[in-house]
Amino acid sequence: MIRLESISKQNGQQIVFIEASAALQRGEKIGLVGPNGAGKTTLFRMITGQEMPDEGQVAVDRGVTIGYFSQDVGDMEGRSAVTEVMDGAGPVSVLAAEMAELEAAMADPDRADEMDEIITRYGEVQGRFDELDGYALDGRAREVLDGLGFSQEMMDGDVGKLSGGWKMRVALAKILLMRPDAMLLDEPSNHLDLESLIWLENFLKGYDGTILMTSHDREFMNRIVGKIIEIDAGSLTSYSGGYTFYQEQRKLAEVQQQAQFERQQAMLAKEIAFIERFKARASHAAQVQSRVKKLDKIDKVEPPKRQQTVRFEFKPAPRSGEDVATLKNVHKSYGARTIYEGLDFQVRRRERWCVMGVNGAGKSTLLKLIAGASEPDDGTVARGPSVRMGYFAQHAMEVIDGEHTVLQALEHEFPQAGQAPLRALAGCFGFTGDDVEKKCRVLSGGEKARLVMAIMLFDPPNFLVLDEPTNHLDIATKEMLIDALSRYEGAMLFVSHDRHFLAALSNRVLELTPDGIHAYGGGYTEYVERTGQEAPGLRS
């Protein structure tokens, strides 16, 4: 259905693709993977015709409709979320607009002589509109927005007043409602809470068109895709199976290629040694020439391309007392809205609590109360005397000095550390080579999040309070963070929509529901087994 045929592409000095080929068949669900900057967005833009390859061609079968969701959503001011989403419904919205024009024409006495043609055309358009279930369009738009977490009030409100994250959801809803033949989804799982993420996962599993998607959420990708296309060093390689299967196959292929490379290198060394030893002897001239010709014809095996992986080693956190944080009879309201009424909760040493609840349940409020970023209306919040806390929240990114480079920001926090360990720290969090010289004001949201995380973990506290720490982190950085935190010996309290992160790190679950607050011994995996649901408030 969509074919990439020997494409080559260069952006400035960077060679993105070199004679790369791949195919997307009808109904396939494909994950697109590769390191940051490998060319995933460039590939999307070439498929949609926004960019052209320097060589080769992108072929799309005639009549195939493509919907492209990108992180650049643009301005959507002045219209309701429902209207904006319906406008993206492709042929249906076009037909709806034509029907409105024809209805106006039928009521226009000046066009009476055209009435037969207008009525005939109206019948054709109405029939097609009905075929595409156009009369249910408003209801379907609201159903998609509801699945992505919108209240009725937000659906009918001005999109321009929404935050960037909610505008992203509107842009995503437009593509989902459109139901094109092929969806190109660039990080659709960003900005979603766990409940919306699971709804989207089920929607995409039931979608019968072609999907090509990127995602930093490995569990999300695993449950949807049945094929992986990897971008690596300018080439495209296809793997059958989900993300975990791809990882296993890639490792296996690397081992096999390394063994083949080493065998060939040993053979070449032996042949070259023979040539060097006997090249000056006339009696061996024929053998030497034969072996030289043999070497000239050999296809050289390249060593495997190794993706750079990093590991972050924690310094030991100082030991805290047994009681890390205690809330007694806490009341908290925002205006007329009550969040907590008599909350009792305690975090003890080495406990790792994940906090779960639907939007507005008070997850971030609980973290702010414990971190001291918010005060209770009544009751007490106390931390143990030997507790040293690290708090990761989105606003923490706003206090970085924009004129500092990444390295200067680290040096400012740790003036005694020296450049070598700070450069190693930056590398662990994705700032390699010249990236450490970037000014903080030009960093993306994800890069700022990584920098704040690096600062917080270099000299670790014994109590980590983390509000969505994995937002914008790519899979490799996320794996590094999970690996590091799994060896961390302090207490943790965190909110995350990443199920792999939840399952790997939690050993307690605090569930906030309208019916009350429930604590579960055991981590997220045990919570799912006991409740039969992956998130509170999931609609059946």
Side-chain angles (χ1 to χ4, degrees), residues 149-202:
F150 283 76
S151 65
Q152 292 297 323
E153 186 182 358
M154 291 170 72
M155 292 180 200
D156 294 313
D158 186 349
V159 182
K161 293 179 180 173
L162 297 175
S163 68
W166 286 101
K167 284 179 181 173
M168 290 263 188
R169 296 191 195 203
V170 171
L172 177 58
K174 289 175 78 165
I175 305 299
L176 301 183
L177 185 67
M178 177 184 171
R179 294 187 79 93
D181 298 317
M183 284 190 200
L184 310 183
L185 304 176
D186 192 359
E187 294 297 340
S189 52
N190 274 1
H191 305 286
L192 297 182
D193 54 69
L194 184 52
E195 189 178 7
S196 300
L197 188 68
I198 292 168
W199 178 88
L200 176 61
E201 183 180 285
N202 290 327

Coordinates of all heavy atoms in Angstrom, one line a residue, residues 149-202:
G149 N -10.4 11.5 27.7 CA -10.4 12.2 29.0 C -11.1 13.5 29.1 O -11.0 14.2 30.1
F150 N -11.8 13.9 28.0 CA -12.5 15.2 28.0 C -13.8 15.2 28.7 O -14.6 14.2 28.6 CB -12.8 15.7 26.6 CG -11.6 16.3 25.8 CD1 -10.6 15.4 25.3 CD2 -11.4 17.6 25.7 CE1 -9.5 15.9 24.7 CE2 -10.3 18.1 25.0 CZ -9.3 17.3 24.5
S151 N -14.1 16.2 29.5 CA -15.4 16.4 30.1 C -16.3 17.0 29.0 O -15.8 17.6 28.1 CB -15.4 17.2 31.3 OG -15.0 18.6 31.0
Q152 N -17.7 16.9 29.3 CA -18.6 17.6 28.3 C -18.3 19.1 28.2 O -18.4 19.7 27.1 CB -20.1 17.3 28.7 CG -20.5 15.9 28.6 CD -20.5 15.4 27.2 OE1 -20.8 16.1 26.3 NE2 -20.1 14.1 27.0
E153 N -18.0 19.7 29.3 CA -17.7 21.1 29.3 C -16.5 21.4 28.5 O -16.5 22.4 27.7 CB -17.5 21.6 30.8 CG -17.3 23.1 31.0 CD -17.0 23.5 32.4 OE1 -17.0 22.6 33.3 OE2 -16.8 24.6 32.6
M154 N -15.4 20.6 28.6 CA -14.2 20.8 27.8 C -14.5 20.6 26.3 O -14.0 21.3 25.4 CB -13.1 19.9 28.2 CG -12.6 20.2 29.6 SD -11.5 18.9 30.2 CE -10.1 19.2 29.1
M155 N -15.4 19.6 26.0 CA -15.7 19.3 24.6 C -16.3 20.6 23.9 O -16.1 20.8 22.7 CB -16.7 18.2 24.5 CG -16.1 16.8 24.9 SD -17.4 15.5 24.7 CE -16.7 14.2 25.8
D156 N -17.2 21.3 24.6 CA -17.9 22.4 24.1 C -17.2 23.8 24.3 O -17.7 24.8 23.8 CB -19.3 22.5 24.6 CG -20.2 21.3 24.2 OD1 -20.2 20.9 23.0 OD2 -20.8 20.7 25.1
G157 N -16.1 23.7 25.0 CA -15.3 25.0 25.2 C -14.4 25.3 24.1 O -14.1 24.5 23.3
D158 N -13.8 26.5 24.2 CA -12.8 27.0 23.2 C -11.5 26.2 23.3 O -10.9 26.2 24.4 CB -12.6 28.5 23.4 CG -11.7 29.1 22.3 OD1 -11.1 28.3 21.5 OD2 -11.6 30.3 22.3
V159 N -11.1 25.6 22.2 CA -9.8 24.8 22.2 C -8.7 25.7 22.5 O -7.7 25.3 23.2 CB -9.6 24.1 20.8 CG1 -8.3 23.3 20.8 CG2 -10.8 23.2 20.4
G160 N -8.7 27.0 22.1 CA -7.6 27.9 22.3 C -7.3 28.1 23.8 O -6.2 28.5 24.1
K161 N -8.3 27.8 24.7 CA -8.0 28.0 26.1 C -7.4 26.8 26.8 O -7.2 26.8 28.0 CB -9.4 28.4 26.8 CG -9.9 29.8 26.4 CD -11.2 30.1 27.0 CE -11.6 31.5 26.5 NZ -13.0 31.8 27.0
L162 N -7.3 25.7 26.0 CA -6.7 24.5 26.6 C -5.2 24.5 26.7 O -4.6 25.3 25.9 CB -7.2 23.2 25.8 CG -8.6 22.9 25.7 CD1 -8.9 21.8 24.7 CD2 -9.2 22.6 27.0
S163 N -4.6 23.7 27.5 CA -3.2 23.6 27.6 C -2.6 22.9 26.4 O -3.4 22.3 25.6 CB -2.7 22.9 28.9 OG -3.1 21.5 28.7
G164 N -1.3 22.9 26.2 CA -0.7 22.3 25.0 C -1.0 20.8 25.0 O -1.3 20.2 23.9
G165 N -1.0 20.1 26.2 CA -1.2 18.7 26.3 C -2.6 18.3 25.8 O -2.9 17.4 25.1
W166 N -3.6 19.1 26.2 CA -5.0 18.9 25.8 C -5.2 19.2 24.3 O -6.0 18.5 23.7 CB -6.0 19.7 26.7 CG -6.1 19.1 28.1 CD1 -5.5 19.5 29.2 CD2 -6.9 17.9 28.5 NE1 -5.8 18.7 30.3 CE2 -6.7 17.7 29.8 CE3 -7.7 17.1 27.8 CZ2 -7.2 16.7 30.5 CZ3 -8.3 16.0 28.5 CH2 -8.1 15.8 29.8
K167 N -4.5 20.2 23.8 CA -4.6 20.5 22.4 C -4.1 19.3 21.6 O -4.6 18.9 20.5 CB -3.8 21.7 22.0 CG -4.5 23.0 22.4 CD -3.7 24.2 22.0 CE -4.4 25.5 22.4 NZ -3.5 26.7 22.2
M168 N -3.0 18.6 22.1 CA -2.5 17.4 21.5 C -3.6 16.4 21.4 O -3.7 15.7 20.4 CB -1.3 16.9 22.3 CG -0.1 17.8 22.2 SD 1.0 17.2 21.0 CE 2.4 18.2 21.3
R169 N -4.4 16.2 22.5 CA -5.4 15.2 22.5 C -6.5 15.5 21.4 O -7.0 14.6 20.8 CB -6.1 15.1 23.9 CG -5.1 14.7 24.9 CD -5.9 14.3 26.2 NE -5.0 14.2 27.4 CZ -5.3 13.5 28.5 NH1 -6.4 12.9 28.6 NH2 -4.4 13.5 29.5
V170 N -6.8 16.8 21.2 CA -7.8 17.2 20.2 C -7.2 16.8 18.8 O -8.0 16.3 18.0 CB -8.1 18.8 20.3 CG1 -8.9 19.2 19.1 CG2 -8.8 19.1 21.6
A171 N -6.0 17.1 18.6 CA -5.3 16.8 17.3 C -5.4 15.3 17.0 O -5.6 14.8 15.9 CB -3.9 17.3 17.2
L172 N -5.1 14.5 18.1 CA -5.2 13.1 18.0 C -6.6 12.6 17.7 O -6.8 11.7 16.9 CB -4.6 12.4 19.3 CG -4.6 10.9 19.4 CD1 -3.8 10.3 18.3 CD2 -4.1 10.5 20.7
A173 N -7.6 13.2 18.4 CA -9.0 12.8 18.2 C -9.4 13.0 16.7 O -10.2 12.3 16.2 CB -9.9 13.6 19.1
K174 N -8.9 14.1 16.1 CA -9.2 14.4 14.7 C -8.8 13.2 13.8 O -9.6 12.8 12.9 CB -8.5 15.6 14.2 CG -9.0 16.9 14.8 CD -8.2 18.1 14.4 CE -8.5 18.6 13.0 NZ -8.0 19.9 12.7
I175 N -7.6 12.7 14.0 CA -7.1 11.6 13.2 C -7.9 10.3 13.5 O -8.3 9.5 12.6 CB -5.6 11.3 13.5 CG1 -4.8 12.6 13.3 CG2 -5.1 10.2 12.6 CD1 -4.8 13.1 11.9
L176 N -8.3 10.1 14.8 CA -9.0 8.8 15.1 C -10.4 8.9 14.5 O -10.9 7.8 14.1 CB -9.1 8.7 16.7 CG -7.7 8.6 17.4 CD1 -8.0 8.4 18.9 CD2 -6.9 7.5 16.9
L177 N -11.1 10.0 14.6 CA -12.4 10.1 14.0 C -12.4 10.0 12.5 O -13.3 9.5 11.9 CB -13.0 11.5 14.4 CG -14.5 11.7 14.0 CD1 -15.4 10.7 14.7 CD2 -14.9 13.1 14.2
M178 N -11.3 10.5 11.9 CA -11.2 10.4 10.4 C -11.1 9.0 9.9 O -11.6 8.7 8.8 CB -9.9 11.2 10.0 CG -9.5 11.2 8.6 SD -7.9 12.0 8.4 CE -7.6 11.6 6.7
R179 N -10.5 8.1 10.7 CA -10.4 6.7 10.3 C -9.9 6.5 8.9 O -10.5 6.0 8.0 CB -11.7 5.9 10.5 CG -12.1 5.8 12.0 CD -13.3 4.8 12.1 NE -12.9 3.5 12.1 CZ -12.6 2.7 13.2 NH1 -12.6 3.3 14.4 NH2 -12.2 1.5 13.0
P180 N -8.7 7.1 8.6 CA -8.1 7.0 7.3 C -7.6 5.5 7.0 O -7.7 4.7 7.9 CB -6.9 7.9 7.3 CG -6.5 7.9 8.8 CD -7.7 7.7 9.6
D181 N -7.2 5.3 5.8 CA -6.7 4.0 5.4 C -5.4 3.7 6.2 O -5.1 2.5 6.5 CB -6.4 3.9 3.9 CG -7.7 4.0 3.1 OD1 -8.7 3.5 3.5 OD2 -7.7 4.7 2.1
A182 N -4.6 4.8 6.4 CA -3.3 4.6 7.1 C -3.2 5.8 8.1 O -3.4 6.9 7.8 CB -2.1 4.6 6.1
M183 N -2.8 5.4 9.3 CA -2.5 6.4 10.4 C -1.0 6.5 10.6 O -0.4 5.4 10.9 CB -3.2 6.1 11.7 CG -4.7 6.3 11.8 SD -5.2 6.1 13.5 CE -7.0 5.8 13.2
L184 N -0.5 7.6 10.6 CA 0.9 7.9 11.0 C 0.9 8.6 12.3 O 0.4 9.7 12.4 CB 1.7 8.7 9.9 CG 1.6 8.3 8.5 CD1 2.4 9.2 7.6 CD2 2.0 6.8 8.3
L185 N 1.3 7.9 13.4 CA 1.2 8.5 14.7 C 2.5 8.7 15.4 O 3.3 7.7 15.6 CB 0.3 7.5 15.6 CG -1.1 7.2 15.0 CD1 -1.7 6.1 15.9 CD2 -1.9 8.4 14.9
D186 N 2.9 10.0 15.5 CA 4.2 10.3 16.1 C 4.0 10.6 17.6 O 3.5 11.6 18.0 CB 4.8 11.6 15.4 CG 6.2 11.8 15.8 OD1 6.8 11.1 16.6 OD2 6.8 12.8 15.3
E187 N 4.4 9.6 18.5 CA 4.2 9.7 19.9 C 2.8 10.0 20.4 O 2.5 11.0 21.1 CB 5.2 10.8 20.5 CG 6.6 10.4 20.4 CD 7.1 9.2 21.1 OE1 6.3 8.8 22.0 OE2 8.1 8.6 20.8
P188 N 1.8 9.2 20.0 CA 0.4 9.4 20.4 C 0.2 9.2 21.9 O -0.8 9.7 22.5 CB -0.4 8.4 19.6 CG 0.6 7.3 19.4 CD 1.9 7.9 19.2
S189 N 1.1 8.5 22.6 CA 0.9 8.2 24.0 C 1.4 9.3 24.9 O 1.2 9.3 26.1 CB 1.7 6.9 24.4 OG 3.0 6.9 23.9
N190 N 2.1 10.3 24.4 CA 2.5 11.5 25.2 C 1.2 12.2 25.7 O 0.2 12.3 25.0 CB 3.4 12.5 24.4 CG 4.8 12.1 24.4 OD1 5.2 11.1 25.0 ND2 5.6 12.8 23.7
H191 N 1.3 12.8 26.8 CA 0.3 13.7 27.4 C -1.0 13.0 27.8 O -2.0 13.6 28.1 CB -0.1 14.8 26.4 CG 1.1 15.6 26.0 ND1 1.7 16.6 26.8 CD2 1.8 15.7 24.8 CE1 2.7 17.1 26.2 NE2 2.8 16.6 24.9
L192 N -1.0 11.6 27.8 CA -2.2 10.9 28.2 C -2.0 10.3 29.6 O -0.9 9.9 29.9 CB -2.4 9.7 27.2 CG -2.7 10.1 25.7 CD1 -3.0 8.8 24.9 CD2 -3.9 11.1 25.6
D193 N -3.1 10.3 30.3 CA -3.1 9.6 31.6 C -3.3 8.1 31.3 O -3.6 7.8 30.2 CB -4.2 10.2 32.5 CG -5.5 10.2 31.9 OD1 -6.1 9.1 31.7 OD2 -6.1 11.3 31.6
L194 N -3.2 7.3 32.3 CA -3.2 5.9 32.1 C -4.6 5.4 31.6 O -4.6 4.6 30.7 CB -2.9 5.1 33.4 CG -2.8 3.6 33.4 CD1 -1.8 3.2 32.3 CD2 -2.3 3.1 34.7
E195 N -5.6 6.0 32.1 CA -7.0 5.6 31.6 C -7.2 5.9 30.1 O -7.7 5.1 29.4 CB -8.0 6.4 32.5 CG -9.4 5.9 32.3 CD -10.4 6.7 33.1 OE1 -10.0 7.6 33.8 OE2 -11.6 6.3 33.1
S196 N -6.8 7.1 29.7 CA -6.9 7.5 28.3 C -6.0 6.6 27.4 O -6.3 6.3 26.3 CB -6.6 9.0 28.1 OG -7.4 9.8 28.8
L197 N -4.8 6.3 28.0 CA -3.8 5.5 27.2 C -4.4 4.1 26.9 O -4.3 3.6 25.8 CB -2.5 5.4 28.1 CG -1.3 4.7 27.4 CD1 -0.8 5.6 26.3 CD2 -0.2 4.5 28.4
I198 N -5.1 3.5 27.9 CA -5.6 2.2 27.7 C -6.8 2.3 26.8 O -7.0 1.4 25.9 CB -6.0 1.6 29.1 CG1 -4.8 1.3 29.9 CG2 -6.9 0.3 28.9 CD1 -5.0 1.0 31.4
W199 N -7.6 3.3 26.8 CA -8.7 3.5 25.9 C -8.1 3.6 24.4 O -8.6 2.9 23.5 CB -9.5 4.8 26.2 CG -10.6 5.0 25.2 CD1 -11.9 4.6 25.2 CD2 -10.5 5.7 23.9 NE1 -12.6 4.9 24.1 CE2 -11.7 5.7 23.3 CE3 -9.5 6.4 23.3 CZ2 -12.0 6.2 22.1 CZ3 -9.7 7.0 22.1 CH2 -11.0 6.9 21.5
L200 N -7.1 4.4 24.2 CA -6.4 4.5 22.9 C -5.9 3.2 22.4 O -6.0 2.9 21.2 CB -5.3 5.6 23.0 CG -4.5 5.8 21.7 CD1 -5.4 6.3 20.5 CD2 -3.4 6.8 21.9
E201 N -5.3 2.5 23.3 CA -4.7 1.2 23.0 C -5.8 0.2 22.4 O -5.6 -0.4 21.4 CB -4.1 0.6 24.3 CG -3.5 -0.7 24.1 CD -2.9 -1.2 25.5 OE1 -1.9 -0.6 25.9 OE2 -3.6 -2.0 26.1
N202 N -7.0 0.2 23.1 CA -8.1 -0.6 22.6 C -8.7 -0.1 21.3 O -9.0 -0.9 20.5 CB -9.2 -0.7 23.7 CG -8.7 -1.5 24.9 OD1 -8.0 -2.5 24.8 ND2 -9.1 -1.1 26.1

